[in-house]
Amino acid sequence: MAADLGPLDRLTERAEMLAGAWAGRARASTTVGRERALLRMFGVSGLDAAGRPLAWSVVDRYLGGGPGRLGGGIVLPFAMALAEYDLDPQRLALDVASGAIDLGMEADLLNEPERRAIAEEEARRLVSAAIERIDANRTARAELIDVLGEPRRPWIGAAMGEPDLAGALDEARAAVEAGADFLEVDVPIGRELSERLRRAGIDAPVWRPRPGSIDPVEALDDAPSGSQRALGGLRRALDEVAAQRRGYIRLAIAPPPLGTPEGAVVAGFERIDAARSDPLGEIVAGHVAPDRALADHAFGQAVLARAGVAVMIGAGPLVVGPDIARGVPSDPAVRAGRALALQILAVAIARGNGLANEQIIVGALTPWLVEEREPVARAAGEVALRRALLPEHGIVFEEPPPSGTSETELWPALVAAVQPGSDALAVVRHRPDRRTIRASRVAAVVAGEIASAYDGRALAGAALAHARATSEAALRTLERLADDGWRTVTGDGPSDGVRARLGADAVAERSDPFDPLAGELSRVG
């Protein structure tokens, strides 16, 4: 079947080559997101006196002292100040944010070998404590699963929609009572992204407490549903429900663009089970600068690998930049091929960043496929391609967001028809009521039994033609990426605005040889 589906071996080889070429530079770089995440690892959390995220405020104030500071990082100056002032990380962060302590002065002390040695020792101690916490959560997950047991695969999941903790708790309980095994929560956008979007003239969604929450006690319990505090509350609530029903319940997060490093640390600290991390999707759909996205995800995926958190990589972004530049729309196989190329490239990057095959979950179908001509045949071809190219990874079917069109009504039936039996890991629904969850579970049982009833099924007709055309388009995409760079998928020209290069000024090659994480994330906990 592999030969029939097109140039699969060349696709894999080209993806591995590109991933390897980009990986070294990404891992040798730092970003403002990585620096914020390191402060979170040290215990910095919450808001400063002005209501801004504290880690953001500290990094922003320190880097404001000069563009060369990012390459050196904030870790050693921060550790130096901890030793000098004998403060805990949270107290020090508040003093830095207020301007009471200048980390630039602490950075100057690092020129003295004895002082630098003290700072390095303090930084290693802080990292070791964070790794111990991450390892403890990894162990706790394994022990809970042993005690409670795994739900039957595929897991039936629910994409959460409530914006605050109180609503999310109610929504989560209702979804689990309806039979959900897997819940996914969107992490709200961070201060950096919201400010960059604002400067580009783009409205950014800002979380606010629900109207009427004026009671001080109630306000203290209010938080965005994807914040660290809310995720901790959700994790505890799900564990209680799981113990009652005798089946482990997984919690997943979807960090926004520029948010992967901090999201990875939160995932490790709050025992999150899965997290989205797709640098290629962030570049194309999130308009993030490539060097920034690759460096952010190199750090984030290394943390997730250590934490035992599964990484979810979608079926690939919709690439229309080249079509817009030419003024000519592409055909369905070309769109599918571009998405497939970026998906297998994202998987190769994730492996290079330390993730084991069993930790990487891949999307089975692109969300726009239901709107194409002959969607069922195309879906069968694209699922077959992914099983041939990515056989060691679980696949997930993710329902497109509700649009009210007849095409979205097709999705449940389409998934029931093309699920590859036991290879399907999860089915995620946007309407997690008892009826939809029950229907998804019944469809999964039928798909599994149908798959076991046949001794292999080969593609034919429109499905086979689409699979071949898709794999050929994917190979052309990777070849052009190697030859022409990012314009192949973004369609960006030299006159693009700020939005096409989000974060381009916030990534730098690390200039200080000291890395407190060296060796820590690669060891198995």
Side-chain angles (χ1 to χ4, degrees), residues 7-240:
L8 304 191
D9 289 342
R10 291 166 61 197
L11 256 176
T12 300
E13 290 171 5
R14 181 65 71 170
E16 293 289 348
M17 183 193 71
L18 280 173
W22 295 337
R25 180 177 180 182
R27 288 194 286 270
S29 299
T30 190
T31 70
V32 294
R34 181 182 187 271
E35 300 303 313
R36 291 194 300 264
L38 287 166
L39 291 186
R40 279 184 173 265
M41 289 185 79
F42 295 170
V44 175
S45 63
L47 307 176
D48 68 7
R52 301 169 299 186
L54 184 53
W56 177 89
S57 185
V58 172
V59 171
D60 189 60
R61 181 175 284 275
Y62 176 64
L63 297 184
R69 286 186 173 181
L70 178 57
I74 199 171
V75 166
L76 286 182
F78 193 82
M80 187 78 264
L82 287 173
E84 285 287 307
Y85 295 100
D86 192 25
L87 297 172
D88 65 77
Q90 185 74 3
R91 182 66 259 174
L92 173 60
L94 289 168
D95 286 346
V96 172
S98 71
I101 292 178
D102 180 6
L103 289 183
M105 297 177 62
E106 309 307 316
D108 292 339
L109 295 177
L110 297 172
N111 294 319
E112 303 175 27
E114 297 82 2
R115 297 287 188 91
R116 182 182 175 91
I118 292 171
E120 289 183 359
E121 181 180 357
E122 178 67 8
R124 290 192 186 96
R125 183 188 68 81
L126 291 167
V127 167
S128 294
I131 295 298
E132 286 180 9
R133 179 175 174 180
I134 289 172
D135 287 348
N137 277 323
R138 180 174 184 156
T139 301
R141 178 190 299 113
E143 292 177 347
L144 268 176
I145 291 174
D146 284 344
V147 171
L148 298 176
E150 287 271 29
R152 179 175 179 172
R153 296 186 181 186
W155 305 320
I156 307 303
M160 307 283 283
E162 288 290 338
D164 57 49
L165 174 56
L169 286 169
D170 291 340
E171 185 180 19
R173 292 189 186 100
V176 172
E177 287 175 3
D181 312 304
F182 180 98
L183 304 180
E184 183 177 2
V185 180
D186 285 335
V187 175
I189 69 170
R191 183 68 175 246
E192 181 191 3
L193 179 58
S194 64
E195 293 211 345
R196 288 183 181 278
L197 292 176
R198 179 180 54 78
R199 290 198 295 269
I202 301 167
D203 289 335
V206 177
W207 179 85
R208 288 183 173 82
R210 62 174 61 193
S213 295
I214 58 175
D215 181 88
V217 175
E218 186 177 315
L220 286 174
D221 291 335
D222 211 357
S225 56
S227 66
Q228 182 170 358
R229 183 154 59 94
L231 289 170
L234 275 170
R235 177 73 274 169
R236 290 188 293 274
L238 290 177
D239 287 345
E240 292 175 3

Side-chain angles (χ1 to χ4, degrees), residues 345-372:
L345 182 52
V347 170
I349 289 170
R351 289 177 185 147
N353 289 332
L355 285 156
N357 286 334
E358 61 269 20
Q359 276 184 270
I360 303 173
I361 303 171
V362 297
L365 300 173
T366 54
W368 65 87
L369 186 142
V370 292
E371 300 175 4
E372 303 281 17

